[in-house]
Amino acid sequence: MKTNNSVENTSKNLEETNISDDVKELREEKRRSRKDKIRERRIESKKWVRESSFFAKVKKAMPFSKVIGKIFMIYLFTVLFTGFLLMIPGIISVSGSEYNWDYISGIFNASAALSDTGIVTAPVWSTYTFWGQLILLILFQLGGIGVLTIKITLLIMLNKKISVNDQITAQTERGGIALSNTTEMIKDAFVFLIIVEIIGSFVLFFGFYFIEVDHDSLMQDGKAIGQSPFRNFEMSLWFSIFHSVSAVNNAGMDIFSDNSLQGYNTNPYGYSIQSVFLIQWVIGGLGYPTYHDVKKKIRAMKTGEHVQFSLFTKLNFTVYSALFFIGPLLVFFTELSSGQDSNILYTHNISDGVDTVTAVSWHKGLFDIVFNVSASRNSGFTTIDIRSMNEGSRVVLSTLMFIGSAPSSTAGGIRTTTFAILLILCWSVIRNKKSVSAFSKTIPQDTVRKSMAVFVVSMILSVSMIFIIYVDSYTQAMAEGFDMTDIMVLVFSAFGTVGFSPYNTHIITSFGMASKFALIITMFIGQLGISNTLLAFVKPSSKERFKYLEQDVMIG
């Protein structure tokens, strides 16, 4: 009996234990479920707060894709913030106060610096103090190399992980086709361009310190319109740094004078300074993928391997080289057709009502044409007055500015590869070929379609901006013998982020508000690129479930 009772008691205890364990488990589950519900409510409330916030509503309302929208907002914020800095005392010099500075002027010059354009509303050398010039230098360094490029390079230096989102964004801003090599490409390009800037600064320092500037180019009507770093150590050092960074990034900004580099165009030794500028902006305009391909080629040659250049590099280098030679030839023939009326091939000295015409030396005429025509696709530095060229030459310059340089480079325009694809497309149509191919490679139809869209939108944008400036600032734009060609040069210069301006800073300052905003928008779009600007207003869409019946249309 005792045994049976003990067994019964044991079983009862086990049952009670199991029941208590079950109760505990139920209580624990309830507790967990309550915690989960509380956590979910908190997450939902935080999500609701984020989605209902002002910035979330603004972000949702804007028709940006995620990646391009991020780049767009970074550039926009940078311009708005630095535009404010460029209008405060201490940044503007005393002599710059005569320009009646306002926020629009600050935004305009910040946009010109960040877009590496160089069209400004006042001379940089006299308007800004050292700190103002430093802000501009930082801006065109950011604009040329790329904001995300600098961020990724810093993360690499700090041995930090780079997120996929940052890689995608940087690839869109300055990278190539493949995401896998974006980080390496950006790092190589950043290091290479910084080395070019340092070497250029070193060489330019000796040029500025030892080569004298033509003093006649620094004076106008008894008033100083420039400054000379000759035999001035501190000025030569700052000039070398500022202009080396400006040249590599194709910014076109200078702190010499109102006449850019014209002071170094009379001294024969000035050609050495011009040569450094030319080499630097050509390197800056070749594009990040080209640097990466060249590095891979050099590395392969050392190891005995065979590596081919990418189609990008082949197209880019072919078009870039062709335009480098064809552009000066076209300008030479247009100037030659003017005979002795050409201000590039002949000098005119009027004394006692008599115009004495003298032909310039062949080497001066050659260098003037090569330097300034090459600058029209990249930098915007000039050694002659652009308005001294005839209308035919200015049309050629406008065309070159419209084409621009390589994608993923420090320059603007529709880009060399876009121009190359359009030419190949025309040739394919003439030969009745359905595919577009080059160098034994077929270019995807989607890329061809985008190239056509880039060209058409670029033309519409440029023509629209020319019309806006003509209507809004007719009196100022047409003052002192200016014509429609000058407006065209100005707009294509803004779109190509070049910086050629037939107008002096006082006339640009007097432009209407609509004209200034038109130039700001053009510079902004020119810096981001039309393809990125098109994508910036395109959110991911669902696949087409159907398409309409096809019907042919007669064309010209």
Side-chain angles (χ1 to χ4, degrees), residues 22 28 63 83 165-166 308 381 392 432 480 507 509:
D22 292 340
E28 188 66 28
N165 287 335
D166 279 344
Q308 289 187 341
F381 292 106
N432 199 23
E480 301 177 11
I507 294 178
T509 304

Side-chain angles (χ1 to χ4, degrees), residues 376-490:
S376 68
R377 293 185 42 237
N378 296 81
S379 67
F381 292 106
T382 60
T383 56
I384 58 175
D385 182 4
I386 296 302
R387 293 197 69 233
S388 64
M389 290 183 167
N390 61 30
E391 288 193 2
S393 297
R394 281 179 282 163
V395 170
V396 173
L397 294 183
S398 298
T399 305
L400 293 174
M401 289 188 284
F402 181 74
I403 296 172
S405 289
S408 300
S409 73
T410 58
I414 63 172
R415 310 306 203 261
T416 51
T417 50
T418 304
F419 183 65
I421 290 172
L422 292 176
L423 292 179
I424 298 168
L425 173 62
C426 294
W427 182 243
S428 299
V429 172
I430 293 171
R431 297 177 62 193
N432 199 23
K433 290 181 64 177
K434 293 185 178 180
S435 62
V436 179
S437 58
F439 296 103
S440 301
K441 300 290 183 181
T442 299
I443 301 171
Q445 285 298 317
D446 187 51
T447 304
V448 177
R449 288 173 59 248
K450 285 182 179 178
S451 298
M452 289 295 297
V454 166
F455 176 77
V456 173
V457 173
S458 299
M459 285 301 300
I460 293 173
L461 172 72
S462 301
V463 172
S464 300
M465 297 308 174
I466 291 172
F467 179 78
I468 289 172
I469 294 175
Y470 181 84
V471 172
D472 181 61
S473 304
Y474 176 84
T475 303
Q476 297 86 348
M478 297 301 172
E480 301 177 11
F482 289 91
D483 53 30
M484 198 68 173
T485 309
D486 295 309
I487 302 179
M488 185 175 69
V489 171
L490 180 65

Side-chain angles (χ1 to χ4, degrees), residues 164-429:
V164 176
N165 287 335
D166 279 344
Q167 290 186 53
I168 293 173
T169 308
Q171 178 197 17
T172 305
E173 184 188 32
R174 285 292 185 274
I177 302 298
L179 181 64
S180 57
N181 63 357
T182 295
T183 303
E184 183 183 359
M185 180 190 300
I186 285 175
K187 181 191 71 174
D188 292 343
F190 178 84
V191 172
F192 176 66
L193 291 178
I194 292 298
I195 291 174
V196 172
E197 289 178 357
I198 293 172
I199 295 174
S201 299
F202 180 79
V203 176
L204 286 175
F205 169 77
F206 291 100
F208 293 147
Y209 188 81
F210 290 107
I211 300 176
E212 191 171 2
V213 181
D214 179 16
H215 289 283
D216 291 338
S217 67
L218 304 180
M219 300 295 294
Q220 185 176 0
D221 298 329
K223 182 181 178 182
I225 58 170
Q227 56 186 344
S228 172
F230 181 64
R231 300 294 184 182
N232 187 317
F233 182 87
E234 292 182 359
M235 189 177 289
S236 296
L237 180 62
W238 175 235
F239 271 45
S240 64
I241 295 172
F242 186 94
H243 293 101
S244 179
V245 176
S246 180
V248 170
N249 290 286
N250 288 205
M253 283 193 177
D254 69 89
I255 49 178
F256 288 115
S257 67
D258 296 359
N259 298 321
S260 192
L261 299 180
Q262 293 181 32
Y264 288 102
N265 200 33
T266 55
N267 189 333
Y269 294 106
Y271 292 135
S272 60
I273 292 178
Q274 294 181 39
S275 299
V276 175
F277 275 81
L278 193 150
I279 292 170
Q280 285 189 303
W281 76 54
V282 167
I283 291 174
L286 289 176
Y288 284 22
T290 301
Y291 310 145
H292 189 64
D293 276 3
V294 171
K295 180 186 176 182
K296 288 196 301 182
K297 191 73 172 179
I298 294 173
R299 186 183 296 171
M301 290 172 63
K302 290 180 178 179
T303 57
E305 298 177 7
H306 179 69
V307 176
Q308 289 187 341
F309 286 124
S310 66
L311 182 59
F312 171 93
T313 299
K314 291 177 180 178
L315 289 175
N316 173 45
F317 194 76
T318 301
V319 174
Y320 197 103
S321 302
L323 293 178
F324 188 85
F325 291 103
I326 293 174
L329 282 175
L330 293 175
V331 170
F332 171 76
F333 285 118
T334 56
E335 292 295 333
L336 189 64
S337 66
S338 299
Q340 292 187 350
D341 291 334
S342 172
N343 294 312
I344 305 300
L345 303 179
Y346 296 89
T347 57
H348 297 260
N349 296 316
I350 301 175
S351 178
D352 298 328
V354 179
D355 185 9
T356 305
V357 181
T358 307
V360 301
S361 60
W362 69 268
H363 57 82
K364 184 181 186 305
L366 175 65
F367 215 90
D368 283 351
I369 292 175
V370 171
F371 184 92
N372 291 279
V373 174
S374 174
S376 68
R377 293 185 42 237
N378 296 81
S379 67
F381 292 106
T382 60
T383 56
I384 58 175
D385 182 4
I386 296 302
R387 293 197 69 233
S388 64
M389 290 183 167
N390 61 30
E391 288 193 2
S393 297
R394 281 179 282 163
V395 170
V396 173
L397 294 183
S398 298
T399 305
L400 293 174
M401 289 188 284
F402 181 74
I403 296 172
S405 289
S408 300
S409 73
T410 58
I414 63 172
R415 310 306 203 261
T416 51
T417 50
T418 304
F419 183 65
I421 290 172
L422 292 176
L423 292 179
I424 298 168
L425 173 62
C426 294
W427 182 243
S428 299
V429 172

Side-chain angles (χ1 to χ4, degrees), residues 62-81:
M62 286 186 174
F64 296 138
S65 65
K66 185 177 180 181
V67 176
I68 306 300
K70 183 177 180 181
I71 298 175
F72 188 88
M73 295 307 294
I74 289 173
Y75 277 70
L76 181 61
F77 173 77
T78 304
V79 167
L80 294 177
F81 176 69

